[in-house]
């Protein structure tokens, strides 16, 4: 986590859509956790510049967290969207133990372990947040009107010249 907060060590252009596809289990570990699908399109809309190892770890941790939510009897869906100058990974979750989720503690290490009664090791969201912030991005968590949770991670897109 400490290294990730310092930003990318070896920055390269990386397509988050491709990385999401690679991180998804194929086939899904169970029918219940087939909860995320990678975007069909790749290309400049999803290309960010960053450290390959850090970004891969963050994407993997986010997908693992989604699996852990499903194991705790919630539903979870990952969405990847192109924004002006940025790319957003959004995880929306509903049901399960989320009614008791303490929103201000979402990114604290080990807080998810307690909230999900041991279904999550507790470092995933902290790692994703550290990597995203270290790459000049934004991380937010909010409660939805229906009681669900939404986690947004926004990373700046790579410029056309590769920078």
């Amino acid at each position: 986590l400490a290294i990730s907060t310092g930003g990318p060590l070896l920055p390269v252009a990386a397509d988050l859509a491709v990385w999401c596809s690679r991180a998804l289990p194929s086939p899904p570990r169970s029918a219940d956790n087939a909860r995320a699908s990678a975007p069909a399109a790749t290309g400049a809309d999803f290309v960010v510049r960053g450290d390959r190892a850090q970004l891969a770890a963050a994407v993997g941790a986010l997908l693992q967290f989604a699996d852990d939510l499903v194991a705790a009897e919630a539903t979870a869906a990952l969405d990847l969207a192109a924004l002006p100058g940025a790319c957003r990974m959004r995880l929306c979750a509903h049901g399960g133990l989320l009614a008791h989720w303490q929103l201000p503690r979402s990114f604290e290490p080990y807080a998810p372990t307690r909230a999900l009664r041991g279904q999550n090791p507790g470092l995933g969201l902290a790692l994703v947040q550290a990597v995203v912030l270290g790459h000049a991005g934004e991380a937010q968590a909010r409660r939805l009107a229906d009681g669900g949770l939404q986690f947004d991670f926004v990373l700046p897109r790579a410029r056309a010249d590769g920078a």
Side-chain angles (χ1 to χ4, degrees):
L1 288 175
I3 292 171
S4 298
T5 60
L9 298 176
L10 300 169
V12 296
D15 188 328
L16 287 181
V18 170
W19 286 15
C20 285
S21 296
R22 289 180 184 163
L24 287 169
S26 180
R29 287 184 277 279
S30 75
D32 290 341
N33 69 6
R35 48 56 197 133
S37 59
T42 60
D45 288 345
F46 304 115
V47 175
V48 299
R49 184 162 175 79
D51 186 277
R52 182 181 309 272
Q54 292 176 13
L55 290 170
V59 169
L62 186 58
L63 290 168
Q64 181 60 53
F65 180 68
D67 272 353
D68 296 340
L69 288 169
V70 171
E73 299 180 6
T75 61
L78 178 68
D79 176 54
L80 192 58
L83 305 175
C87 179
R88 179 190 67 217
M89 294 183 293
R90 172 175 284 169
L91 179 65
C92 290
H94 298 86
L97 303 171
L98 300 180
H100 305 291
W101 189 272
Q102 295 179 10
L103 199 57
R105 302 187 69 198
S106 294
F107 299 113
E108 288 181 16
Y110 306 109
T113 300
R114 294 184 292 277
L116 298 178
R117 297 185 186 156
Q119 293 289 338
N120 180 276
L123 292 176
L125 287 180
L127 172 65
V128 179
Q129 181 194 41
V131 169
V132 168
L133 295 179
H135 283 72
E138 299 174 11
Q140 298 178 357
R142 71 181 188 103
R143 187 163 300 280
L144 301 171
D146 63 6
L149 298 174
Q150 178 177 298
F151 301 94
D152 283 341
F153 301 96
V154 179
L155 288 163
R157 281 196 300 209
R159 297 189 333 224
D161 63 5

